[in-house]
């Protein structure tokens, strides 16, 4: 075989050809791999010494899909569909031997084989939808022929990874072989197929599992309807459904053509570009230039948490889920009991929904110890403070904590805004103090901002960063500044949201624009959910419209009214009363209201965020634009198909963003002053991410 096809090797042993793929890290289907497999298949097919062919991979996994980094580049080597046809069309049985993950083009390859075997730990799936595309090498046509239409719809539109056992149940895997003995198991299976004279089972020729859906378009419409909320804004799920419909209604080759047409349409679109960017951005987050992978980390085998409120309890649950024991300290017994009670209730609710077993509730709650004495934190490797957001209180707490925590323990603050350097300065160990900023609800939201203080040692920072995935979080490294990355940018948006309703928009206009953009909710609906009385002081003169709402007991969802009116199901409707209050507010402030377009609302909310993101980069408070985007996607529900605010800025064009900032700086005020980085990039015709 020529040098550039060395990603595969072929051996014939005891009548069975073994075609092995070796292309670390994940055996993605690069041009070399595709060409190697196609050549290997042709050689093995033509060799009379081989009675069957086993396709197997070296390393940690079976083929994990097409090589995503090749997308958008000119095609080279054997096309994937052609390669798969060499498997399906082989004149002797082809067996795919699966370990690790057979994903996307990897599973499509396995579906081209006549039989599939897997070890119990293997997983299979078609996750293309998460990249904004559909399976483009026959997956949408072959999978429903094997597992049925309903199951194929679920698998392909969700991109879920399915265990070998479940895959075997649905007929996707023909046999499960012993863990660690895949090669032997696959060869034995191939010999059995030969000995028994089993047919060459070509998936393209199967059709009985699709009968249930033939002539029944209502199946697809019902599926669309049932998942409308989940699919909102995304283009790819609809593409998946249409391709599966084609599988049901068209002959195989025409279905393939339809699949290709849909695939091509999606892959050249902005959504897929954004989603592929996010795939790599997510993996970039853990790459920190001065903390190479082999940086020493400190053990975290037990954790202390100060504060059993909503945040403290939610944070504790992450560690309990990971099997790490937690001691949680409160000041008063009733607050402690309440906090522990809520944690238990949350777990019980998960168990009731079937998300965990009933006994897991006890195992997890068995790992938590409540205490009223900070001294009980003396044994913890890491202590996270999650008390009220007040600098004096935090300093006092850290001084006390420093006195009881063991030497070498890491002390972390969950502050959302405050200066963690200043907090660390009250301890004898500022080099062991960092920020670990969780997002509410802390047991659900994936984001963790790891706040690097000036004095924190590399080991301490690396420990927090490496801990994040263990507790199910994406740990994004950020620098100390007011609000860090996420809330610092959010403050820009909030300021403009308030100003827009003074100038002419209504709260529901602002919320609708952001909702239609793809966010789960806008700032006013969000405030109603969180409670308008945060920061409200009863009896004091209202300086904000929301305080005025509190004065008349419209304190948000919990009181049945806030910016919106709520019915008993908490469904929101715009309030006439609030509308009048907004009009009065503008009048009192002497602002002549004007109509504001949706486009202006969106720009006014989002462009200042992009500008702030640029300042964050300029000041080195985030490592790269893509880290900022991951903060917004995982912490604030920014739609993944828009790639994050910095990527979005790139898609709009930085010249446009700059021009607007300049216009508003003149018309409204200095808070819109463009960052030097934005100006430089815009003037040079560059992007923040280089990926849009
Ligand atoms: C597709 O197949 C389209 C077809 O239908 C049709 C085409 C015509 N390509 O995640 P990890 C890199 S679309 C290129 O950290 P893990 C990854 O960037 C594809 N690179 O490891 C990382 O690089 P680095 C459908 C890839 O163990 C390194 O490998 N398939 C690809 O946590 C390790 O990855 C998918 O969507 C790729 N396909 O997870 C599967 N995959 O070290 C995508 C990985 O430089 N992949 N890399 O940062 C995954 O879900 C996970 O990577 C996997 C391993 C579960 C496999």
């Amino acid at each position: 075989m020529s040098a550039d096809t060395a990603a595969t090797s072929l051996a014939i042993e005891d009548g069975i050809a073994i075609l092995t793929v070796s292309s670390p890290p994940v055996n993605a289907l690069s041009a070399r791999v595709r060409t190697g497999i196609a050549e290997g298949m042709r050689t093995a097919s033509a060799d009379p010494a081989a009675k069957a062919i086993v396709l197997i991979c070296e390393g940690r996994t079976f083929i994990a899909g097409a090589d995503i980094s090749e997308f958008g580049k000119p095609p080279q080597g054997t096309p994937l569909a052609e390669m798969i046809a060499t498997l399906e069309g082989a004149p002797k049985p082809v067996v795919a031997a699966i370990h690790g993950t057979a994903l996307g083009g990897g599973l499509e390859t396995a579906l081209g084989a006549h039989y599939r075997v897997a070890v119990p730990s293997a997983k299979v799936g078609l996750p293309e939808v998460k990249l904004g595309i559909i399976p483009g090498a026959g997956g949408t046509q072959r999978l429903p022929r094997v597992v049925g239409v309903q199951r194929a719809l679920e698998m392909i539109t969700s991109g879920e990874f399915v265990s070998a056992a479940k895959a075997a149940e649905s007929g996707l895997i023909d046999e499960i072989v012993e863990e660690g003995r895949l090669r032997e198991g696959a060869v034995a299976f191939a010999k059995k197929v030969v000995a028994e004279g089993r047919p060459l089972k070509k998936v393209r020729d199967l059709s009985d599992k699709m009968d249930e859906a033939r002539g029944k378009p209502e199946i697809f419409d019902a599926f669309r309807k049932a998942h409308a909320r989940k699919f909102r804004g995304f283009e790819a799920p609809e593409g998946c459904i249409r391709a599966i419909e084609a599988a049901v209604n068209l002959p195989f080759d025409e279905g393939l053509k339809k699949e290709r047409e849909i695939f091509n349409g999606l892959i050249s679109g902005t959504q897929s570009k954004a989603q592929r960017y996010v795939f790599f951005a997510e993996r970039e987050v853990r790459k920190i230039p001065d903390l190479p992978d082999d940086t020493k980390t400190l053990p975290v085998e037990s954790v202390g948490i100060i504060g059993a409120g909503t945040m403290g309890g939610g944070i504790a649950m992450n560690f309990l889920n990971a099997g790490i024991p937690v001691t949680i300290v409160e000041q008063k017994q009733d607050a402690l009991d309440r906090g522990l009670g809520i944690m238990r209730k949350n777990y019980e609710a998960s168990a009731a929904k079937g998300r965990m077993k009933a006994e897991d509730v006890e195992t997890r709650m068995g790992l938590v110890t409540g205490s009223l004495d900070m001294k009980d934190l003396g044994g913890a490797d890491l202590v996270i403070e999650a008390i009220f957001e007040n600098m004096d209180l935090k300093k006092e707490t850290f001084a006390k904590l420093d006195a009881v925590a063991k030497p070498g323990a890491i002390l972390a603050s969950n502050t959302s805004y405050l200066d963690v350097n200043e907090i660390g300065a009250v301890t004898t160990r500022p080099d062991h103090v960092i920020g670990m900023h969780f997002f509410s609800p802390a047991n659900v939201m994936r984001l963790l901002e790891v706040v690097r203080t000036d004095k924190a040692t590399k080991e301490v920072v690396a420990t927090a960063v490496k801990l994040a995935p263990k507790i199910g979080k994406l740990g994004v490294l950020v620098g100390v500044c007011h609000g860090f990355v996420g809330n610092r940018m959010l403050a820009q948006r909030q300021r403009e949201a308030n100003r827009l309703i003074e100038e002419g928009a209504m709260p529901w206009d602002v919320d609708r624009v952001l909702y239609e953009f793809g966010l789960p909710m806008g700032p006013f609906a969000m405030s109603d959910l969180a409670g308008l009385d945060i920061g409200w002081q009863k009896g004091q003169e209202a300086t904000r419209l929301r305080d005025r709402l509190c004065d008349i007991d419209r304190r948000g969802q919990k009181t049945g009214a806030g910016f919106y009116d709520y019915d008993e199901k908490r469904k929101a409707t715009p309030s006439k009363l609030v509308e009048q209050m907004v009009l009065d507010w503008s009048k009192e402030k002497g602002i002549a209201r004007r109509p504001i377009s949706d486009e202006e609302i969106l720009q006014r909310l989002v462009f200042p965020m992009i500008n702030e993101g640029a300042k964050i980069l300029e000041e080195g408070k985030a490592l790269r634009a893509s880290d900022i985007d991951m903060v917004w996607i995982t912490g604030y529900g920014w739609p993944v198909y828009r790639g994050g605010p910095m990527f979005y800025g790139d898609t709009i064009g930085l010249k446009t963003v700059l021009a607007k900032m300049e216009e508003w700086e003149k018309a409204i005020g200095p808070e819109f002053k463009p960052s030097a980085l934005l100006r430089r990039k815009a003037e040079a015709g560059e992007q923040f991410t280089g990926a849009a």
Side-chain angles (χ1 to χ4, degrees), residues 168-231:
E169 261 169 46
S170 63
L172 186 48
I173 299 292
D174 295 286
E175 191 168 289
I176 305 231
V177 302
E178 196 186 328
E179 194 73 53
R181 297 178 61 82
L182 179 61
R183 195 172 199 268
E184 295 87 330
V187 168
F189 181 85
K191 284 184 176 166
K192 193 164 64 182
V193 168
V194 174
E196 292 173 4
R198 288 201 210 173
L200 302 182
K201 215 164 77 188
K202 296 185 188 179
V203 173
R204 58 175 288 146
D205 295 338
L206 308 176
S207 80
D208 56 322
K209 288 218 177 159
M210 300 209 291
D211 289 345
E212 47 160 338
R214 261 198 199 101
K216 292 194 187 130
E218 64 273 17
I219 291 186
F220 298 97
D221 288 338
F223 189 82
R224 283 183 179 96
K225 241 171 125 182
H227 295 82
R229 238 181 104 163
K230 189 173 147 210
F231 298 160

Side-chain angles (χ1 to χ4, degrees), residues 24-26 28-29 60-71 80-81 101 103-106 108 125-128 130-131 133-139 161 260 263 267 279-280 283-284 286-287:
V26 296
L29 290 158
R60 65 206 233 205
T61 179
F62 191 76
I63 300 162
D67 188 337
I68 306 167
S69 60
E70 276 185 2
F71 289 173
L80 185 51
T101 45
L103 300 175
E108 292 177 297
L126 292 172
E128 284 87 343
K130 295 184 189 161
L131 300 169
I133 52 176
I134 66 168
F161 292 6
R260 176 110 309 242
F263 177 89
I267 200 147
F279 176 84
F280 290 111
R283 285 158 179 80
E284 277 294 296
R286 50 186 187 206
K287 295 174 193 158

Side-chain angles (χ1 to χ4, degrees), residues 106-128:
L107 180 58
E108 292 177 297
T109 301
L111 281 164
H114 306 122
Y115 295 95
R116 290 157 291 282
V117 301
V119 289
S121 61
K123 290 195 169 68
V124 300
L126 292 172
E128 284 87 343

Side-chain angles (χ1 to χ4, degrees), residues 370-417:
S371 163
L372 299 177
D373 189 350
M374 198 116 102
K375 282 201 199 82
D376 289 334
L377 300 177
D381 296 318
L382 163 71
V383 181
I384 303 171
E385 161 277 308
I387 61 168
F388 192 65
E389 195 75 337
N390 173 292
M391 184 53 107
D392 291 336
L393 210 60
K394 300 233 183 219
K395 282 185 177 167
E396 200 187 305
T397 305
F398 267 75
K400 278 193 206 148
L401 174 61
D402 185 36
V404 297
K406 69 180 180 188
I410 300 176
L411 311 185
S413 174
N414 177 52
T415 177
S416 332
Y417 291 94

Side-chain angles (χ1 to χ4, degrees), residues 141 246 249-261:
Q141 307 303 298
N249 298 322
L250 300 175
F252 184 79
D253 288 317
E254 276 178 52
L256 272 188
K257 245 191 245 158
K258 185 79 195 168
E259 178 192 79
R260 176 110 309 242
E261 189 186 302

